[in-house]
Amino acid sequence: MLADLAPKAPDPLLKIIKMFREDPRGDKIDLGVGVYKDATGNTPVMRAVKDAETLLLATQKTKTYVGQQGDVDFLRLVGQLVFGDMARDMASIQAVGGTGALRLGCDLLRESGAKRIVLPAPCWPNHPSIVRAARLEPIDAPFFNIAEQRIDLDALFAAFDTVARGDAVILQACCHNPLGADFSLDQWTALADALNARGVIPFLDLAYQGFGDGIDEDVAGLRAMVERVPEAVIAVSEAKSFGIYRERVGALYVKTSEKARPAVMSNLAAIARANYSMPPDHGAAIVREVLSDEALRQSWRDELDEIRTHIKRTRRRLAAERVNSIPMHLIADQKGMFSTLPLTDAQVTALREVHGIYMTDAARINVAGLREADIPRFVEALRAVA
Ligand SMILES: Cc1ncc(COP(=O)(O)O)c(C=O)c1O
């Protein structure tokens, strides 16, 4: 009975958001929410997105369904952006955001016989929930030393030994959430070799293309991996890269043999059909318009460059500061919006309660949410608690 339902614990991040909102202090600092903010603290609509929306409004002739696979031009253009020429050999389907793509991919893997998904930890907190919702078993695989801010690849290889052929591992393609620590090209190659040797499928999660070193640079590791393995599943989110979070724009790409592709495609279509039937149109149409028009595409690239420059500048500013027990200098080497600081629960609580500085309970900070003017106060507070 519905009356017997046990309540679920709320997402811990929502708790932080609520506490921040209710904090009356005028100088409070929000490093919790995972959205990009410009120098004024705003999350802007990108210029190219606004222009594409104006164009769509003027030219759209119908609101009928987009079709089972979604917007095929969107899929082709995003595929080209992510994989280059390799996109030609992939099955693809539009998804409801990167989250929807991850769920589609997990359901597909389960249909193909997978039982377990290795999750290099710490991972994006939604990964285990998605894996479990798809009736797969998440395998927690610690792979990062937070005190030293260092990747331990051998720990990951050991985790691959605990799963079977046809199981998978979710690897973040760039700008790791919550660590900011990405694999080097050599590490990607070593990972591909290790996965091939064990028959474990890479499930790549790309949610921040363009936020690290550049649009092509950020997918170099992903491409190296996809090139080397016979099968791969790739979830793409365009929420951040186009600043269209609420439009829920994503896609799933699958590399398999040509022979297996029709079955993969029909399984994906069936999973989507039983879930939400057809994907939403507007966000994907924006991305399609931006990527297919030379001027809009350039405008988007320019603004993405500005965003990346802003994040890198904030990282360099933080890295120049000295704080007792925190290797601040490594923040400059890390990529994208997030870093996770080696802070205890008590230190995170003190930062929030005494200094009005909000981060996740696991001490993830959204570097891209830190206003330049707030950096000195943030560093002073870190020195006071660390
Ligand atoms: C690592 C990672 N993957 C996937 C997503 C999903 O993005 P969305 O569902 O908003 O497109 C996010 C969003 O925060 C993320 O950080």
Side-chain angles (χ1 to χ4, degrees), residues 96-100 102 124 127 172 177 205 207-208 237-240 245 248-249 338:
V96 185
T99 305
L102 285 162
W124 182 44
H127 280 152
Q172 293 192 33
N177 177 8
D205 178 6
Y208 299 92
S237 164
E238 296 300 4
K240 280 74 179 188
Y245 306 81
R248 314 307 302 131
V249 186
F338 306 109

